[in-house]
């Protein structure tokens, strides 16, 4: 194929530089003798006329050869960059360090020869290490000439190498998922199994000592669109990479170089209610009569172990300083451990009414977060229960069940002895506000 291109280039050169000029010359002469063509015919048929014409053509060709041949005869140079090196040695027994991967070749010669040399098939630069023993060696890099008329110069032409005996060590294989975001948000990799959990790492002893672990990098970007959006088991080949203790890659031979990873792709989900939680306080004399949304439930997706701990999705509604009914468009935030949620927003309506207050008596005080190894006891009866004031609209307050009101003390940071702690109260109906009539109680903390 390359030889055909060369022949076509030569033909094009002859046609452009020789045939076309001669044709133009005859056309010019014919134009000059227009109207007297008989005399022109006599001129080219006479022997003397043909001699003159031949002489003119010969002089033209001579001029052309003198002025144009320099481009074909003069010496030139051209560099072939990054030509690969092929080394011959016993790869099962030895490791070679210091041998460059590529060299640059400078071709020196006539332009025509360089052009031809580039078209001809070339051989890689070779170095024969057969028979060399472990240690430091200087070796010559060789290149088989495609044309003897072209001079070849290698850079570098000599390499200083070190030959080591190859050692082998068995290593455990772990795995890591990368590009996890490439998986559809409703799906997740539930489990992974590798067809091999141990591999052999081969290199010189000094390098092997640096290998801390071997890891299979499972790239989810390599899954097909269908695999990313469906549950099931998927098998993919995974290359292995060796690392040092600082997680830097180490260039060693790993046998086998890859393993097969089986991914169990699942889509655990759970439907949970939306819980509207007002924050702040509405204006004095008013209370929330209703707190509703256009969505009552959402479906969450994630690890099954995480979903088990989710009983509702909180949506916080800022009603601080609210004077009249209002509608909100709020974002539903994903709880920690949730990959995806069926709805990202919710419309909430808040209605206000006139506030009343009602008192609930004898709400028992619970203890929370008491450290292990301690017991708690009230110093008197007044420290065991409190009265709670509940404020809200009449329809809410009058329907509150006292058992849904919780009074408690947080003992997380208490010390041994008698302590005075703040009483906190809360209720299940978040439209109302709850206040303990007793601010603090005294308790006795003792070790068991």
């Amino acid at each position: 194929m390359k030889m055909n291109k060369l022949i076509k280039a030569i033909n094009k050169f002859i046609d452009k530089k020789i045939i076309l000029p001669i044709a133009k010359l005859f056309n010019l002469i014919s134009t000059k003798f227009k109207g007297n063509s008989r005399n022109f015919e006599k001129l080219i048929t006479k022997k003397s006329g043909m001699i003159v014409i031949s002489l003119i053509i010969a002089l033209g060709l001579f001029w052309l050869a003198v002025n144009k041949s320099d481009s074909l005869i003069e010496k030139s140079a051209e560099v072939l960059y990054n030509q690969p090196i092929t080394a011959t040695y016993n790869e099962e027994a030895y490791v070679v360090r210091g041998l460059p991967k590529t060299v640059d070749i400078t071709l020196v010669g006539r332009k025509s020869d360089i052009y031809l040399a580039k078209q001809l098939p070339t051989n890689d630069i070779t170095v024969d290490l057969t028979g060399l023993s472990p240690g430091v060696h200087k070796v010559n890099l060789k290149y088989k000439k495609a044309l003897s008329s072209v001079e070849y110069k290698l850079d570098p032409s000599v390499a200083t190498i070190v030959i080591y005996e190859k050692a082998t060590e068995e290593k455990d294989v772990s795995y890591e998922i990368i590009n996890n975001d490439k998986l559809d948000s409703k799906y997740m990799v539930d489990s992974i199994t590798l067809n091999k959990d141990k591999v052999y790492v081969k290199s010189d002893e000094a390098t092997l000592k640096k290998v801390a672990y071997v890891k299979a990098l499972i790239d989810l970007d390599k899954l097909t669109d269908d695999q990313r959006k469906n549950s099931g088991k998927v098998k993919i080949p995974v290359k292995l990479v060796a690392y040092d203790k600082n997680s830097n890659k180490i260039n060693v031979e790993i046998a086998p170089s890859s393993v097969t990873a089986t991914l169990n792709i699942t889509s655990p989900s759970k439907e949970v209610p939306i819980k509207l939680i007002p924050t702040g306080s509405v204006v004095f004399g008013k209370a929330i009569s209703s707190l509703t949304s256009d969505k009552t439930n959402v479906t969450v997706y994630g690890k099954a172990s995480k979903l088990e701990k989710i009983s509702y999705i909180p949506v916080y509604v800022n009603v601080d300083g609210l004077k009249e009914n209002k509608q909100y468009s709020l974002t539903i935030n994903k709880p920690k451990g949730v990959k995806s949620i069926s709805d990202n927003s919710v419309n909430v309506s808040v209605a206000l009414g006139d506030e009343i207050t009602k008192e609930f008596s004898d709400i028992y005080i619970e203890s929370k977060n008491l450290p292990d190894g301690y017991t708690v006891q009230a110093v008197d009866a007044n420290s065991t229960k409190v009265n709670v004031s509940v404020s809200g609209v009449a329809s809410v307050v009058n329907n509150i069940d006292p058992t849904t009101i919780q009074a408690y003390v947080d003992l997380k940071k208490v010390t041994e002895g008698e302590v005075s702690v703040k009483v906190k109260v809360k209720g299940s109906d978040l439209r109302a506000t709850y206040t303990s009539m007793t601010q603090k109680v005294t308790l006795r903390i003792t070790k068991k």
Side-chain angles (χ1 to χ4, degrees):
M1 192 70 179
K2 293 181 178 179
M3 186 60 72
N4 289 339
K5 289 183 179 180
L6 179 60
I7 293 172
K8 287 181 180 179
I10 294 172
N11 289 337
K12 185 176 179 181
F13 176 81
I14 293 173
D15 183 61
K16 183 178 180 181
K17 300 298 183 180
I18 299 176
I19 303 299
L20 185 59
I22 292 175
K24 287 183 177 180
L25 176 62
F26 276 100
N27 183 57
L28 179 61
I29 295 172
S30 175
T31 303
K32 293 295 183 181
F33 284 92
K34 190 174 183 182
N36 195 7
S37 59
R38 187 178 296 276
N39 292 333
F40 177 67
E41 290 176 4
K42 287 180 181 181
L43 175 64
I44 64 174
T45 54
K46 286 183 179 181
K47 186 176 181 180
S48 58
M50 289 300 294
I51 291 173
V52 173
I53 293 173
S54 299
L55 180 61
I56 294 172
I57 293 173
L59 290 172
L61 291 175
F62 177 76
W63 178 87
L64 181 66
V66 170
N67 287 277
K68 300 297 182 181
S69 61
D70 284 347
S71 64
L72 300 175
I73 296 174
E74 67 180 1
K75 280 198 170 186
S76 180
E78 188 166 340
V79 181
L80 304 178
Y81 294 99
N82 300 322
Q83 302 303 302
I85 296 175
T86 301
T88 303
Y89 64 97
N90 186 349
E91 297 183 25
E92 290 296 321
Y94 300 107
V95 177
V96 176
R97 304 288 185 195
L99 187 66
K101 293 183 179 179
T102 61
V103 298
D104 298 335
I105 305 174
T106 303
L107 309 180
V108 180
R110 293 179 299 180
K111 284 187 176 181
S112 57
D113 290 341
I114 291 177
Y115 176 79
L116 183 59
K118 289 171 61 180
Q119 310 309 313
L120 295 175
T122 57
N123 298 308
D124 291 344
I125 299 89
T126 61
V127 56
D128 189 357
L129 307 180
T130 305
L132 295 181
S133 58
V136 180
H137 304 273
K138 275 193 174 183
V139 293
N140 295 317
L141 306 179
K142 298 179 180 179
Y143 185 80
K144 186 177 180 181
K145 293 184 178 182
L147 287 179
S148 59
S149 58
V150 176
E151 183 182 353
Y152 297 85
K153 296 181 179 179
L154 303 182
D155 182 23
S157 60
V158 178
T160 300
I161 64 169
V162 182
I163 298 178
Y164 299 93
E165 289 186 354
K166 182 176 284 188
T168 301
E169 187 175 330
E170 190 177 49
K171 289 285 184 180
D172 292 331
V173 179
S174 59
Y175 63 81
E176 179 182 344
I177 297 176
I178 59 176
N179 288 320
N180 208 353
D181 58 333
K182 300 298 181 181
L183 201 64
D184 188 278
S185 59
K186 293 182 180 179
Y187 295 86
M188 59 172 292
V189 178
D190 184 63
S191 63
I192 296 174
T193 55
L194 304 178
N195 67 326
K196 291 184 180 296
D197 57 3
K198 294 181 181 294
V199 293
Y200 292 98
V201 180
K202 301 179 181 181
S203 189
D204 59 276
E205 288 188 4
T207 303
L208 282 185
K209 288 180 180 179
K210 297 178 182 178
V211 178
Y213 57 93
V214 176
K215 186 171 286 188
L217 299 181
I218 301 172
D219 190 354
L220 299 188
D221 192 30
K222 294 183 178 179
L223 297 178
T224 65
D225 289 340
D226 185 60
Q227 290 171 336
R228 291 179 185 140
K229 298 177 181 178
N230 288 284
S231 299
K233 292 189 175 182
V234 177
K235 290 186 177 182
I236 57 173
V238 182
K239 287 188 176 182
L240 300 176
V241 183
Y243 296 90
D244 64 14
K245 62 180 181 180
N246 297 318
S247 298
N248 298 312
K249 290 183 180 180
I250 300 180
N251 184 22
V252 294
E253 180 185 345
I254 303 175
S257 59
S258 65
V259 296
T260 299
T262 302
L263 283 60
N264 185 28
I265 299 177
T266 61
S267 182
S269 63
K270 180 180 181 181
E271 188 176 62
V272 292
I274 292 174
K275 186 175 183 179
L276 302 177
I277 303 175
T279 61
S281 302
V282 301
V283 296
F284 180 77
K286 294 289 183 180
I288 299 173
S289 62
S290 67
L291 190 62
T292 59
S293 63
D294 60 346
K295 300 179 182 73
T296 57
N297 296 281
V298 290
T299 302
V300 290
Y301 300 85
K303 284 188 176 182
S305 58
K306 298 288 185 181
L307 299 184
E308 286 178 1
K309 301 176 182 178
I310 299 174
S311 56
Y312 62 87
I313 299 295
V315 174
Y316 297 94
V317 186
N318 184 5
V319 298
D320 198 41
L322 190 64
K323 299 177 181 179
E324 57 188 10
N325 299 348
K326 185 176 180 179
Q327 289 190 336
Y328 300 79
S329 182
L330 302 174
T331 299
I332 302 176
N333 295 314
K334 291 186 296 184
K336 188 176 180 181
V338 170
K339 284 194 64 179
S340 181
I341 192 167
S342 59
D343 293 285
N344 296 313
S345 62
V346 62
N347 295 318
V348 177
S349 297
V350 179
L352 302 182
D354 294 330
E355 183 183 58
I356 67 166
T357 300
K358 183 177 180 180
E359 188 173 317
F360 293 82
S361 303
D362 299 331
I363 305 298
Y364 281 93
I365 302 172
E366 300 177 14
S367 298
K368 290 187 176 183
N369 301 320
L370 180 67
D372 293 336
Y374 289 87
T375 60
V376 58
Q377 185 179 12
V379 295
D380 54 48
N382 293 330
S383 297
T384 60
K385 53 188 177 179
V386 294
N387 296 338
V388 176
S389 173
V390 179
S391 299
V393 297
S395 59
V396 172
V397 173
N398 292 330
N399 286 298
I400 286 180
D401 183 351
T403 61
T404 64
I405 301 174
Q406 183 183 25
Y408 64 95
V409 289
D410 189 349
L411 304 179
K412 185 176 182 179
K413 297 182 179 180
V414 298
T415 57
E416 188 177 6
E418 289 190 1
V419 294
S420 178
V421 291
K422 184 178 180 180
V423 178
K424 300 178 181 180
V425 291
K426 62 181 181 179
S428 60
D429 196 329
L430 300 180
R431 294 173 296 176
T433 56
Y434 304 81
T435 305
S436 173
M437 304 300 291
T438 301
Q439 295 298 308
K440 290 186 176 183
V441 293
T442 302
L443 305 174
R444 183 178 292 108
I445 308 298
T446 57
K447 284 187 177 181
K448 291 182 180 179

